[in-house]
Amino acid sequence: MRHATKVAAVVAAASLGLAACGSSTNNTTSPGGTGGSTGGASSSTLKIGMAYDVGGRGDQSFNDAAAAGLDKAKTELGADVKEASAVNGEAESARKERLQQLIDAGYNNIVAVGFAYAKAVGETAKANPDVKFAIVDDASPDSAGPNVDQITFAEEQGSFLVGAAAALKTKTNHVGFIGGVQTDLIKKFEKGFEAGVKAVKPDIKIDVKYLTQPPDFSGFNSVDKGKAAAEGMYQGGADVVYHAAGGSGGGVFTAAKAAGKWAIGVDSDQAKTAPADVRDVILTSMIKKVDVGVFDFITSVKNNSFKAGNKIFDLKAGGVDFSTTGGHIDDIKSKLDDYKQKIISGEITVPKA
């Protein structure tokens, strides 16, 4: 165990170095015109360190949504940023070391992407009280602190809407849900989706499959696992499959294309981000606006308006939604908008578990 921890730490350090080299952040210019390099940055430069979940920038889903908020901060706020990514199977100590390395490099505002960082954020924030932190997808006591912004979303509400879309579009009365890892967070996606399906057609069959169980988080970054799970559902009669599986969703889209069936994306508008050859099988996506939460945190730091605690981005706040790219749901959009308003008004309460 001790050896494994040391190996994970080395890998994490290497990951940090590679991410920093590839981020092109050292060319950032502060609003005042001072070069924003790590070595010669003005003390007024807004410096943001981002630690991604497994899959990192380029996963076309959750991490990329966070990256979009970071990129907006670079462009609009003149932020100087450094990025690092988690690796499959790493020890808890590796996450803490990644955060501390960002801080030691001079990045005194840290964004941790994913609930897996909860303990690492809590402990590192306590050890660095002058550093401001944001964690995406966790509001637990593990990460809480006077210098921690806990960014969460009403995933169940957005999932309800794409569940309704699946029910309105299925021709076989059989749909599916694929979760990357069976955690409380991903259960929110599942339960919201099921509620949306049942609200339209109570008798629809819903298949549910999780790719891995904690502490194995590879289910968020395994195209092969996603493809195999989706193939099984399509072969079993499902004609619409919703995934909440991060990078594994690429395999779901490939399976949908081969089967001539529909898939539903997650986090980002995946009909815009997935490979071009599978975009036409993405019925819609549940958009989780991680970019909005990340940019909100960075803006609060810049404006000296930072507040610790849990911020929930729901439908009313514009934190979740459904996409219309491709025009596949144009004929049912008014029905989905009606459900959306009923959720916002409180007429419909979507279950979280």
Side-chain angles (χ1 to χ4, degrees):
M1 179 64 73
R2 181 79 62 182
H3 175 69
T5 301
K6 290 181 179 178
V7 171
V10 171
V11 172
S15 173
L16 174 57
L18 289 172
C21 290
S23 65
S24 300
T25 60
N26 291 339
N27 295 323
T28 303
T29 301
S30 71
T34 304
S37 66
T38 302
S42 163
S43 60
S44 63
T45 300
L46 182 63
K47 298 175 76 68
I48 309 295
M50 178 167 282
Y52 294 109
D53 203 352
V54 172
R57 181 189 281 267
D59 72 345
Q60 301 171 359
S61 186
F62 178 61
N63 288 295
D64 273 357
L70 187 68
D71 291 344
K72 184 177 180 181
K74 288 169 64 177
T75 301
E76 298 187 12
L77 305 179
D80 174 16
V81 312
K82 186 179 285 288
E83 303 169 73
S85 294
V87 296
N88 280 329
E90 68 181 15
E92 180 68 30
S93 59
R95 288 186 280 274
K96 288 179 59 179
E97 287 165 7
R98 181 175 302 112
L99 299 179
Q100 191 61 53
Q101 285 167 351
L102 288 167
I103 294 167
D104 291 344
Y107 293 81
N108 57 349
N109 303 288
I110 304 296
V111 181
V113 185
F115 60 82
Y117 280 101
K119 290 183 179 179
V121 165
E123 294 175 11
T124 310
K126 186 176 294 184
N128 298 272
D130 294 331
V131 175
K132 295 180 177 65
F133 292 79
I135 182 169
V136 180
D137 278 354
D138 185 73
S140 71
D142 286 340
S143 66
N147 53 335
V148 181
D149 179 2
Q150 297 174 309
I151 301 168
T152 61
F153 298 82
E155 295 91 352
E156 73 282 358
Q157 294 182 354
S159 296
F160 180 102
L161 297 177
V162 299
L168 290 165
K169 284 293 186 176
T170 181
K171 297 184 183 304
T172 62
N173 278 351
H174 187 170
V175 301
F177 171 82
I178 294 175
V181 183
Q182 190 167 1
T183 63
D184 289 343
L185 173 64
I186 305 303
K187 292 288 284 186
K188 287 173 66 181
F189 290 82
E190 177 199 341
K191 295 305 180 183
F193 177 72
E194 290 179 345
V197 169
K198 298 294 187 181
V200 176
K201 295 180 181 177
D203 59 340
I204 284 183
K205 181 178 181 181
I206 305 174
D207 294 334
V208 175
K209 171 74 173 179
Y210 284 91
L211 302 181
T212 61
Q213 302 288 325
D216 179 2
F217 289 92
S218 64
F220 288 132
N221 194 36
S222 175
V223 172
D224 290 344
K225 286 186 175 73
K227 182 173 181 286
E231 284 175 340
M233 289 184 180
Y234 292 130
Q235 290 168 5
D239 61 352
V240 187
V241 173
Y242 172 41
H243 88 86
S248 301
V252 177
F253 301 149
T254 299
K257 183 73 172 183
K261 305 291 176 63
W262 290 116
I264 296 177
V266 75
D267 294 334
S268 302
D269 183 351
Q270 294 199 283
K272 293 180 177 178
T273 63
D277 63 331
V278 298
R279 292 180 183 180
D280 62 341
V281 299
I282 301 175
L283 179 66
T284 181
S285 295
M286 195 287 280
I287 302 176
K288 175 176 169 178
K289 300 183 181 179
V290 177
D291 57 325
V292 173
V294 168
F295 188 74
D296 179 82
F297 162 70
I298 298 172
T299 301
S300 76
V301 170
K302 182 176 177 62
N303 295 340
N304 295 315
S305 58
F306 170 86
K307 291 183 180 179
N310 181 209
K311 295 186 183 71
I312 302 173
F313 292 81
D314 57 9
L315 272 175
K316 187 174 184 179
V320 293
D321 209 337
F322 62 91
S323 67
T324 59
T325 300
H328 306 306
I329 61 169
D330 286 354
D331 58 327
I332 61 170
K333 184 177 182 300
S334 61
K335 294 180 181 178
L336 299 181
D337 285 338
D338 184 51
Y339 279 120
K340 181 177 178 179
Q341 291 306 314
K342 288 179 178 179
I343 294 170
I344 291 173
S345 71
E347 183 177 341
I348 292 176
T349 300
V350 184
K352 299 179 181 180

